[in-house]
Amino acid sequence: MTDQASATAPDTSDLPGKPTSASRTTLSHIMTHNDTNLLGTVHGGVVMKLVDDAAGAVAGRHSGGPAVTASMDEMVFLEPVRVGDLVHVKAQINWTGRTSMEIGVRVLAERWNESAPPTHVGSAYLVFAAVDADGKPRPVPPVVPETDRDRRRHQEAQIRRAHRLARRRAIRELRERRAAEGYED
């Protein structure tokens, strides 16, 4: 979303807050041979789609309508996922702005036919923008963290947001400076 669109977005101060638990969700899927890459493990893109699907469900639930993926801040793969794994994608809202939301996602995998505890195989942070029927930004309710863990996630999300904005600003300034110096990119 552009800074201009953000600046003209309606104020959300009159929207009632929604607790973190109201939109938390888990998506589970058994991995099959159709999901594999050339190494015989599950393709990272398959896991990323599940992450995006779960995060999108959370964003839609929290905002009460359509929301689109604006960015994937980070996707970390910790362990490979194998054919036959039952993958659980757990997602929750961490932070809200006027029209955007950060969703945190944790990916767990367990053998479909074993009773061992699931293994943490990946994590991601995605930013979604709530949109109206015309695709224009619309306000989202503030998130109300309920637990100490929710409050920590909210604080960490604010740090990630500040870093995203600083990175965008630094890149824009560099490009403007290079253009002023006559460089063509």
Side-chain angles (χ1 to χ4, degrees):
M1 178 171 31
T2 65
D3 292 334
Q4 184 180 7
S6 237
T8 60
D11 183 25
T12 62
S13 59
D14 56 346
L15 291 175
K18 290 175 85 173
T20 306
S21 62
S23 59
R24 194 176 283 141
T25 193
T26 300
L27 181 147
S28 296
H29 187 77
I30 294 178
M31 298 291 112
T32 69
H33 71 280
N34 292 333
D35 302 317
T36 60
N37 59 26
L38 296 174
L39 298 175
T41 56
V42 172
H43 196 286
V46 170
V47 175
M48 289 172 73
K49 182 177 183 329
L50 295 173
V51 164
D52 191 46
D53 288 347
V58 169
R61 283 178 172 182
H62 183 82
S63 70
V68 296
T69 310
S71 70
M72 180 175 278
D73 213 28
E74 185 176 311
M75 178 75 219
V76 177
F77 296 99
L78 303 169
E79 298 284 338
V81 177
R82 300 173 293 160
V83 170
D85 280 352
L86 178 57
V87 172
H88 306 286
V89 184
K90 298 177 176 282
Q92 79 166 48
I93 190 151
N94 291 335
W95 173 89
T96 55
R98 285 187 306 256
T99 62
S100 63
M101 304 158 272
E102 184 197 88
I103 314 299
V105 182
R106 183 177 179 90
V107 183
L108 304 167
E110 61 181 306
R111 296 308 290 168
W112 69 274
N113 59 349
E114 296 176 8
S115 60
T119 301
H120 181 201
V121 296
S123 293
Y125 300 100
L126 296 88
V127 177
F128 277 75
V131 295
D132 64 18
D134 297 321
K136 303 291 184 206
R138 64 180 176 80
V140 299
V143 65
V144 179
E146 299 171 281
T147 67
D148 285 339
R149 178 179 278 177
D150 292 342
R151 284 184 278 284
R152 176 188 53 80
R153 287 178 175 164
H154 187 265
Q155 291 170 331
E156 290 173 358
Q158 290 173 312
I159 293 168
R160 282 187 293 275
R161 179 175 187 272
H163 284 232
R164 276 192 306 275
L165 295 174
R167 183 177 61 237
R168 279 187 210 146
R169 189 172 37 256
I171 290 170
R172 185 179 61 243
E173 289 169 1
L174 173 65
R175 289 179 179 174
E176 289 170 357
R177 190 169 56 252
R178 287 182 53 83
E181 293 170 357
Y183 289 102
E184 291 184 36
D185 288 335

